[in-house]
Amino acid sequence: MQALQLETLHVAPVLREITLPAPARGELRLRIAACALNFADLLMIDGRYQEKPALPFTLGMEMAGTVIALGEDVTGFRIGDRVAAFAGQGGLATEANVAASRCLPLPAALDFETAAAFQIAYGTSHLSLDHRAHLQPGETLFVTGAAGGVGLTAVEIGKRMGARVIASARGAEKLEVARQAGADHVIDSDAPGLREALRELGGVDVVYDSVGEPAFSEALRATRPEGRILTIGFAGGEVPQIPANLLLVKNLTVMGLYWGGYLTFRPDVLTASLRTLADWIADGSLKPHISHRFPLSHASEALSCLRERRSTGKIVVTMAA
């Protein structure tokens, strides 16, 4: 089987022929049809992700495919089942062994590419907005990086939950993508005066920030009393230093969300969220946006597309039949 493996940190991964062992107890083997890329894949290459698998390892955190073998003690799945899986690694390959506990049966209406693409991005946004921030209908949500793979899902889910959504992104093309996803107002992230622009729109109740500074500080100061600020990531490269005095005087809450962490301490919350999202996608309430598709043989090009921020929405790598 083929797999895109990282052999040395800070060096481009390479496509190799490898052999997988039989599925271990509690695992199933997938014939992978599609794998979606994430910013975390780039952090893994650079050795900057919070989880550091032993080298060499196969990149690709979220995938979808067909069950072709079952390990001991696997229940609830059969050979031939279509599933989505969050494995943390192993998805940029033609096959993978995945813990059955990290697999989700797919509704018939959900294709493999969409199934691979929705898990982390939509899961992060839904868990953040619903479980953590308790976003309510009628509240105002501000989303930074709103045309990216995660930010775009926050726009879409925020609208699905009944919020008024303000989206920030760079350039007219990306702003239009956010508008098409449901944003009520859009702001160019390159334009000065973000704080003033948000205040002119009445302020915000929930901030969904995947960028970091300087947008974080500007949004913080435009947040209404009892507002909630979600820190999702720092794609802009600068981690905010949060002024506690502002939290005190405005009764604000800043909270983090590491989606993968719920697999360890609250897997039930994560699984329930994914089931909700799969149903919303299957019934047409959500429409995951895939802007780029690459075959596995061009996976390095796909990673370059991600690093250079040429995508709007998700990048998906597909495997040969």
Side-chain angles (χ1 to χ4, degrees), residues 1-312:
M1 55 161 282
Q2 289 188 310
L4 189 76
Q5 293 214 302
L6 185 68
E7 299 177 339
T8 306
L9 295 179
H10 312 293
V11 176
V14 292
L15 195 60
R16 299 290 194 204
E17 290 283 344
I18 67 170
T19 301
L20 278 183
R25 184 184 301 272
E27 289 185 338
L28 50 78
R29 176 169 291 181
L30 290 183
R31 178 179 295 113
I32 300 172
C35 175
L37 300 188
N38 294 274
F39 187 69
D41 292 310
L42 302 180
L43 295 179
M44 283 187 168
I45 293 171
D46 295 338
R48 295 189 292 123
Y49 192 57
Q50 54 260 42
E51 296 179 11
K52 296 178 172 59
L55 298 169
F57 70 91
T58 301
L59 289 163
M61 304 180 76
E62 54 184 338
M63 65 200 79
T66 304
V67 178
I68 58 173
L70 302 172
E72 293 183 31
D73 298 333
V74 172
T75 59
F77 294 95
R78 297 178 299 177
I79 291 174
D81 282 352
R82 302 168 65 256
V83 302
F86 170 75
Q89 58 175 290
L92 287 172
T94 51
E95 296 181 9
N97 292 330
V98 183
S101 60
R102 295 193 174 198
C103 296
L104 180 75
L106 294 179
L110 207 53
D111 64 86
F112 286 130
E113 292 181 13
T114 303
F118 92 88
Q119 296 169 79
I120 297 176
Y122 278 87
T124 295
S125 292
H126 184 258
L127 213 58
S128 298
L129 297 174
D130 182 60
H131 180 70
R132 296 289 279 147
H134 302 294
L135 179 68
Q136 299 299 306
E139 287 191 316
T140 296
L141 167 68
F142 173 57
V143 181
T144 67
V150 173
L152 197 63
T153 67
V155 172
E156 199 174 352
I157 289 172
K159 286 301 294 181
R160 176 63 175 75
M161 294 176 68
R164 180 180 74 133
V165 179
I166 304 171
S168 174
R170 178 172 296 162
E173 181 180 351
K174 290 187 175 182
L175 289 174
E176 182 57 28
V177 170
R179 196 190 305 275
Q180 291 296 324
D184 299 285
H185 305 277
V186 295
I187 300 173
D188 195 315
S189 58
D190 284 337
L194 175 60
R195 183 191 327 181
E196 290 74 18
L198 292 173
R199 285 176 172 171
E200 287 176 5
L201 290 169
V204 298
D205 300 296
V206 175
V207 175
Y208 181 102
D209 179 46
S210 60
V211 175
E213 295 293 4
F216 179 95
S217 291
E218 294 291 292
L220 176 68
R221 286 162 172 79
T223 302
R224 296 169 180 156
E226 293 196 329
R228 291 87 76 201
I229 298 94
L230 291 156
T231 59
I232 307 302
F234 315 107
E238 188 176 347
V239 178
Q241 301 302 304
I242 300 168
N245 60 314
L246 278 182
L247 307 186
L248 185 153
V249 298
K250 294 180 72 175
N251 293 291
L252 301 178
T253 302
V254 178
M255 58 191 79
L257 191 286
Y258 169 41
W259 183 81
Y262 278 81
L263 286 165
T264 302
F265 65 89
R266 288 295 304 276
D268 57 317
V269 171
L270 188 146
T271 301
S273 172
L274 287 177
R275 285 174 178 157
T276 295
L277 289 167
D279 288 341
W280 284 357
I281 294 169
D283 70 16
S285 298
L286 301 177
K287 296 178 173 61
H289 177 63
I290 299 171
S291 66
H292 291 74
R293 294 170 173 83
F294 296 86
L296 181 60
S297 59
H298 287 70
S300 293
E301 183 181 345
L303 289 166
S304 296
C305 181
L306 179 65
R307 190 180 292 277
E308 295 163 10
R309 301 185 185 183
R310 289 186 272 126
S311 62
T312 56

